[in-house]
Amino acid sequence: MTLVDYLLAVGAGYDPRDGFDTPQQRLLSQAGELLDGYGPNDFVIKASGGQRPLATTDTPWIGFFDPDESVTPMRGLYVVWLLQASREAWTLSVNMGTELRAKTMKKAGDREAQVLEALRAEAAAIRGGLPADLTSGWGAAMDLRRPGIRQRRYEAATIIAKTYPLDALPDDKTLAGDLNHACLVLAEAMQARDRFAIANPGTIFTGSAVHVDPNDRDLPFDPGVDVTAVISLPKRSIVRKPRHEGGLKRYGTWLQCRNFKLTTKVHPRDFVITSPTPWIGEYKVVYGRDVARATREAHSQLKEYRHFLYPAGASRPQLLAVFSAPITDRRVTWLNAEDIAVVWDEDDRWRGCPLAQAAGLGL
């Protein structure tokens, strides 16, 4: 089923008063299967027309989630299609989770106004960190035509948006292209959010990035555990295998056996080696053959962390990029030229470039 046909089929006949036993609700429940092939290959696709069996929603949604960021609209950043309550148009948006944000607000005064103000401020901060060429042609607001709490929060949490009248939807190629563009903006927005959190500690919901000297207190190494996610579809289930935490834990344990001291309690950095020589470490999963994405992200994040978290003139740590699979020699050479040591998992052995080998960080 094409994306344009899907949006038409859901939007044209959707009515929340009809309950859950409708063709439109069934299409929403099958979004992951019907829209497979749209958006990045590793994204999780979910849609909803309400909370079964409690109540339907006036504004059904179709979400495209980067599984390394979030697989729920409650937290993190994600791409989403939202149908206006009037059923006149769909809006494609890069949006933020709102539920957990709301829970942090004190129940005093006009709490909902505080929530909306905080969401708008955070969305504006992230939007301000995006390259101008990525936001050109996109708006910064949406109108869901419904004054409900959830709808107002969606509107306040909008980073970028584009609205398509249902009776004038563009062709499928255009819609798919806009969706892919929104997913690209999502990746940039995640990095913009992290940069803002580092440069402005405590002003964004992603958490404070205040640097803590590892010598001031004992910081544990505890990357957590991978949790296999099972996405249930009518005809099949998709099993999302563990990715980040398991690999980081294996590498960290390997380092500890070699008498290195390290910690993961240094958000937003993945880990920091504190002894014998300080290093900032970033662990990246390589998806398929896409080494470019993994190496670019590791490079930009490591450089940003050291620039913002460690003042010029002070003792600054070295940089280490760790990958879940081998990367190309050209990518290793490039990272080395940027003063980044490289380690990768190859046949369950932590191989390293000469810089990493000299420091004992890889074989």
Side-chain angles (χ1 to χ4, degrees):
M1 190 173 196
T2 64
L3 178 58
V4 65
D5 287 341
Y6 183 91
L7 295 176
L8 282 169
V10 174
Y14 185 85
D15 191 329
R17 296 170 296 182
D18 294 338
F20 289 102
D21 189 19
T22 67
Q24 291 73 31
Q25 290 284 357
R26 285 191 285 275
L27 285 172
L28 290 168
S29 69
Q30 298 170 14
E33 181 178 1
L34 295 175
L35 297 180
D36 186 28
Y38 288 95
N41 290 335
D42 60 331
F43 271 37
V44 175
I45 305 172
K46 294 181 178 180
S48 176
Q51 296 181 335
R52 291 176 180 266
L54 301 178
T56 57
T57 178
D58 290 331
T59 51
W61 56 266
I62 309 153
F64 286 74
F65 300 91
D66 182 336
D68 289 328
E69 169 71 6
S70 177
V71 291
T72 171
M74 292 182 64
R75 64 177 66 88
L77 307 184
Y78 60 100
V79 172
V80 63
W81 294 88
L82 282 156
L83 182 65
Q84 288 180 347
S86 62
R87 271 85 77 189
E88 294 177 302
W90 283 96
T91 296
L92 174 62
S93 167
V94 176
N95 219 283
M96 305 186 306
T98 65
E99 299 302 317
L100 294 182
R101 183 66 165 121
K103 290 180 181 179
T104 68
M105 308 302 292
K106 295 181 179 179
K107 296 182 179 180
D110 191 346
R111 177 174 177 269
E112 190 57 29
Q114 296 176 35
V115 171
L116 296 178
E117 182 180 356
L119 290 171
R120 291 190 192 101
E122 189 165 332
I126 295 172
R127 186 167 52 250
L130 296 174
D133 62 324
L134 285 183
T135 59
S136 177
W138 292 72
M142 72 166 79
D143 181 4
L144 294 177
R145 309 288 176 87
R146 176 76 165 83
I149 290 176
R150 192 177 300 274
Q151 286 76 22
R152 293 179 67 193
R153 290 179 181 176
Y154 278 134
E155 292 169 351
T158 301
I159 297 171
I160 64 164
K162 184 178 286 190
T163 297
Y164 309 82
L166 195 60
D167 61 1
L169 287 176
D171 59 38
D172 196 67
K173 182 178 180 180
T174 300
L175 290 174
D178 285 350
L179 173 61
N180 288 335
H181 182 87
C183 292
L184 176 63
V185 173
L186 172 65
E188 291 289 337
M190 289 158 55
Q191 295 194 38
R193 173 202 57 193
D194 292 343
R195 288 194 298 268
F196 193 85
I198 292 170
N200 303 273
T203 61
I204 200 164
F205 187 57
T206 45
S208 174
V210 176
H211 173 59
V212 177
D213 189 337
N215 294 319
D216 290 344
R217 59 188 176 94
D218 184 25
L219 296 173
F221 177 76
D222 183 16
V225 297
D226 283 315
V227 177
T228 299
V230 180
I231 313 300
S232 297
L233 302 173
K235 294 183 179 180
R236 61 190 175 95
S237 293
I238 299 174
V239 178
R240 296 278 178 182
K241 295 296 185 182
R243 297 168 178 239
H244 183 272
E245 284 78 6
L248 175 54
K249 187 170 185 177
R250 287 194 301 106
Y251 182 63
T253 301
W254 183 81
L255 286 178
Q256 289 174 326
C257 291
R258 298 169 70 86
N259 297 319
F260 286 91
K261 293 183 180 180
L262 64 160
T263 176
T264 52
K265 300 302 181 182
V266 283
H267 177 79
R269 294 154 292 178
D270 272 350
F271 66 99
V272 168
I273 299 172
T274 61
S275 177
T277 302
W279 293 78
I280 303 175
E282 186 68 22
Y283 183 88
K284 288 296 178 186
V285 177
V286 178
Y287 298 102
R289 298 179 180 178
D290 192 5
V291 299
R293 174 182 173 180
T295 52
R296 282 198 301 264
E297 290 180 355
H299 172 269
S300 63
Q301 288 174 257
L302 287 168
K303 291 287 187 175
E304 288 167 8
Y305 296 158
R306 186 164 67 178
H307 178 81
F308 286 109
L309 294 177
Y310 302 87
S315 177
R316 308 182 84 182
Q318 299 181 72
L319 305 178
L320 172 65
V322 185
F323 299 97
S324 65
I327 63 174
T328 63
D329 290 343
R330 293 180 66 188
R331 291 279 166 176
V332 173
T333 300
W334 168 59
L335 289 172
N336 286 172
E338 293 290 311
D339 296 322
I340 298 174
V342 181
V343 170
W344 60 92
D345 186 358
E346 183 175 352
D347 299 326
D348 293 325
R349 293 175 66 84
W350 296 106
R351 303 293 186 184
C353 69
L355 287 174
Q357 292 176 10
L361 301 172
L363 301 175

